Amino acid sequence: MPDAPHKLEVDFEKVEESLNILRNYPDKVEVRITCYPPLISEEELKEMVPYLKGFKFIALQKYVPEETLSGEKVEPYSEDFYNWAISFLKLSFPLNS
């Protein structure tokens, strides 16, 4: 189970249940991951791989910095992080020939 749900006090079993339902419609579902630095790190992305299996469309979305509810300013990831993440996901989910 990824660490991020614990940071948010989310019941990951419900998230996993939803993913299992959506996995039945691989041509109609896109899994979108917003790379918000306090929640999504390289480690969390690696931990997500088993939960993303079976999905045809996986998108990384860049976090756009705005004022957060806590008033904290969060800097977005560098292009290097996104390049790593895209390469990692391509290796984890090679295209079918």
Side-chain angles (χ1 to χ4, degrees):
M1 176 182 321
D3 288 333
H6 297 295
K7 295 177 190 175
L8 295 173
E9 298 180 15
V10 171
D11 180 357
F12 192 74
E13 287 179 12
K14 294 204 183 274
V15 173
E16 191 172 13
E17 185 179 313
S18 296
L19 290 172
N20 287 335
I21 292 168
L22 294 171
R23 201 172 275 110
N24 292 317
Y25 307 96
D27 292 332
K28 298 181 182 198
V29 174
E30 175 184 83
V31 176
R32 183 171 291 269
I33 303 164
T34 301
C35 295
Y36 179 61
L39 295 179
I40 304 296
S41 66
E42 287 183 15
E43 188 61 35
E44 268 93 22
L45 201 56
K46 289 175 184 177
E47 291 176 2
M48 287 181 188
V49 167
Y51 301 99
L52 299 174
K53 291 201 183 297
F55 289 102
K56 223 174 178 179
F57 306 106
I58 301 169
L60 287 179
Q61 180 171 304
K62 292 181 179 181
Y63 162 69
V64 177
E66 293 185 10
E67 188 173 329
T68 62
L69 294 175
S70 67
E72 174 187 13
K73 183 173 169 99
V74 176
E75 291 298 319
Y77 280 118
S78 68
E79 286 301 312
D80 288 341
F81 174 84
Y82 291 106
N83 291 334
W84 171 85
I86 290 166
S87 295
F88 170 74
L89 289 175
K90 284 182 178 180
L91 286 172
S92 299
F93 303 100
L95 296 174
N96 297 327
S97 316

